[in-house]
Amino acid sequence: MKVKIGNLTNIKTGKLDANASSEDGQYPFFTCSREPLKISTYSYDCECVLVAGNGDLNVKYYKGKFDAYQRTYIIEDNGSGKLHIPYLYYFMEDYVDELRKQAIGGVIKYIKLGNIADAMIELPSIDNQKFIVDILGKVKEILDKRNAEISALDALIKARFVEMFGDPVMNEKDWPTKPLLDMGQCKNGMNFHYDDEGVEINCLGVGDFKDFSVINNTDKLPKISLKEMPSEEYLLKDDDIVFVRSNGNKDLVGRSIAVYPGDIPTTFSGFCIRYRKHDNEITAPYLLRVLKADSMRVKMTGRGANIQNLNQQILRTLVIPVPPIQLQDQFADFVHQVDKSKVAVQKALDETKLLFDSLMQKYFG
């Protein structure tokens, strides 16, 4: 039996502006970002599902005291006794893709309350809802553990980088420096029309970056159709570094990834910038970690009011420390060894994600 969510819940929105947050606050402050901010006061004390109403649509579950941004939907049980809120959370996690399709507006898309209230949810008994939540929760625990292992390995690389080279912006070790664009060239990605046809080619887009540092097999990337094969300048080569150039989510702008397409023809979208080095005094593995450093990301923070942007003028201001090539090679060897462990963990993570997705499809598809 399917029931409208609006018949099972009370839905309201937060009342605060995003600038109401406080760094030393003791309560979570839910905005449209995936991670909550902090706030010193609270307006709500309940068990609920929270849905970001614009920008990066996402879903959260929370039980306790909190406050919320005015574009955040707060969904509570209406007291009917027919709905287990954690069950609703998993449903909304699956349904958020449909909400993204329903979103309206110009630069920043948004959803209306009716998009949530009119959604139809399969409603088994409370006991069955709790059983489903228990199964999904156990698999999610494994997913979280695998993701934590990946994060720990990334932190290990980050710590080793700082130990060997220091902060790349402060350059405490006083390495010689060179402007980024003196060591290579940039190229904005290509724009294409969805009704083009004639040639199919793999394409790296913003959605493919995720938390990866390197993409070795570009054959797994989505394909696009073009009227003709792109010119050489739009085809990626081994050791190219690609940046997120433009995105509604400021946190994604400036994110970088190294690509190794080999002989697989691969292009990149207009929301990206490709950097190709030509200086032999710097290696791609080292440069990638420089560009991923927190201090360097701050210098690449996107400009613009709604859509945040990175451009070649900003990249032109970046100055890169250039330590001896032997040290860079040692670091690359270390990263290679850590990456071997990451491959094994990533494989286990992918298998668990497949299981989780199949269960979500079974229960909510």
Side-chain angles (χ1 to χ4, degrees):
M1 178 181 69
K2 287 194 174 184
V3 181
K4 281 188 178 182
I5 286 177
N7 293 339
L8 301 165
T9 64
N10 294 319
I11 307 174
K12 53 196 170 188
T13 60
K15 304 297 182 185
L16 300 179
D17 292 330
N19 59 10
S21 64
S22 173
E23 290 187 3
D24 58 353
Q26 58 181 311
Y27 305 107
F29 178 40
F30 294 102
T31 66
C32 291
S33 298
R34 290 186 178 274
E35 297 299 323
L37 303 176
K38 293 181 179 179
I39 196 166
S40 299
T41 59
Y42 69 91
S43 301
Y44 310 96
D45 185 2
C46 61
E47 181 183 28
C48 63
V49 173
L50 301 114
V51 179
N54 66 5
D56 180 28
L57 300 185
N58 59 80
V59 180
K60 309 177 187 75
Y61 166 84
Y62 189 73
K63 184 178 182 180
K65 299 178 175 69
F66 67 94
D67 223 315
Y69 170 57
Q70 58 191 351
R71 299 290 186 181
T72 299
Y73 291 100
I74 304 163
I75 313 173
E76 296 179 75
D77 174 32
N78 66 4
S80 67
K82 297 179 180 179
L83 182 65
H84 186 46
I85 288 295
Y87 175 79
L88 175 64
Y89 163 73
Y90 283 112
F91 169 81
M92 293 303 301
E93 273 282 313
D94 183 69
Y95 193 73
V96 72
D97 287 337
E98 178 60 28
L99 290 178
R100 293 187 179 111
K101 295 175 185 176
Q102 297 177 16
I104 59 175
V107 174
I108 297 182
K109 302 288 186 180
Y110 64 93
I111 57 172
K112 295 182 177 181
L113 187 148
N115 297 121
I116 298 173
D118 293 339
M120 303 294 291
I121 182 173
E122 189 71 39
L123 198 67
S125 69
I126 284 289
D127 285 343
N128 280 343
Q129 290 179 48
K130 291 180 178 179
F131 173 78
I132 290 169
V133 167
D134 184 57
I135 294 294
L136 292 173
K138 287 176 179 176
V139 179
K140 195 170 186 300
E141 282 182 12
I142 299 172
L143 278 175
D144 291 343
K145 179 180 178 181
R146 299 298 182 219
N147 280 314
E149 290 172 351
I150 293 285
S151 296
L153 291 170
D154 286 338
L156 181 62
I157 292 174
K158 186 175 181 179
R160 181 62 171 157
F161 177 91
V162 172
E163 178 187 359
M164 292 182 69
F165 307 112
D167 180 87
V169 172
M170 296 181 65
N171 194 19
E172 311 100 316
K173 301 196 181 226
D174 201 26
W175 305 114
T177 61
K178 288 185 179 182
L180 177 68
L181 295 194
D182 281 4
M183 297 185 290
Q185 293 94 23
C186 289
K187 181 68 180 177
N188 287 2
M190 67 181 307
N191 296 309
F192 54 90
H193 300 286
Y194 288 98
D195 57 353
D196 285 349
E197 56 182 22
V199 174
E200 281 202 342
I201 185 172
N202 297 93
C203 181
L204 175 67
V206 172
D208 303 307
F209 279 61
K210 299 179 182 177
D211 291 323
F212 298 140
S213 296
V214 175
I215 292 183
N216 288 303
N217 187 357
T218 60
D219 196 38
K220 293 183 179 180
L221 293 175
K223 292 183 181 294
I224 60 170
S225 294
L226 302 172
K227 292 180 179 178
E228 58 185 7
M229 182 63 71
S231 60
E232 283 291 322
E233 61 185 351
Y234 287 113
L235 294 177
L236 294 172
K237 296 182 178 179
D238 289 351
D239 274 347
D240 281 349
I241 293 174
V242 183
F243 299 94
V244 174
R245 180 181 71 83
S246 178
N247 195 267
N249 181 358
K250 183 178 178 179
D251 292 339
L252 295 181
V253 175
R255 185 171 290 189
S256 53
I257 194 167
V259 292
Y260 295 86
D263 58 359
I264 299 171
T266 308
T267 189
F268 53 106
S269 83
F271 294 103
C272 301
I273 298 177
R274 183 265 297 152
Y275 176 81
R276 180 170 295 158
K277 75 178 190 71
H278 55 60
D279 192 319
N280 291 329
E281 291 189 13
I282 199 158
T283 66
Y286 165 77
L287 178 59
L288 178 67
R289 297 297 163 174
V290 171
L291 297 169
K292 283 183 170 293
D294 292 342
S295 57
M296 196 63 72
R297 285 293 306 278
V298 168
K299 293 180 72 68
M300 289 190 284
T301 298
R303 273 63 171 173
N306 294 320
I307 294 181
Q308 308 295 330
N309 294 287
L310 174 69
N311 55 47
Q312 296 189 35
Q313 287 70 36
I314 296 172
L315 292 174
R316 193 175 300 280
T317 67
L318 302 185
V319 177
I320 309 298
V322 185
I325 198 71
Q326 294 87 349
L327 278 183
Q328 296 183 48
D329 288 340
Q330 287 178 26
F331 177 70
D333 289 341
F334 176 80
V335 171
H336 180 68
Q337 293 303 316
V338 175
D339 280 345
K340 285 183 179 179
S341 298
K342 282 183 66 176
V343 167
V345 177
Q346 187 66 52
K347 181 180 179 182
L349 175 62
D350 291 343
E351 291 172 350
T352 307
K353 185 67 166 60
L354 282 174
L355 173 60
F356 184 80
D357 290 344
S358 67
L359 289 170
M360 291 288 282
Q361 178 65 28
K362 175 182 177 180
Y363 297 130
F364 303 116

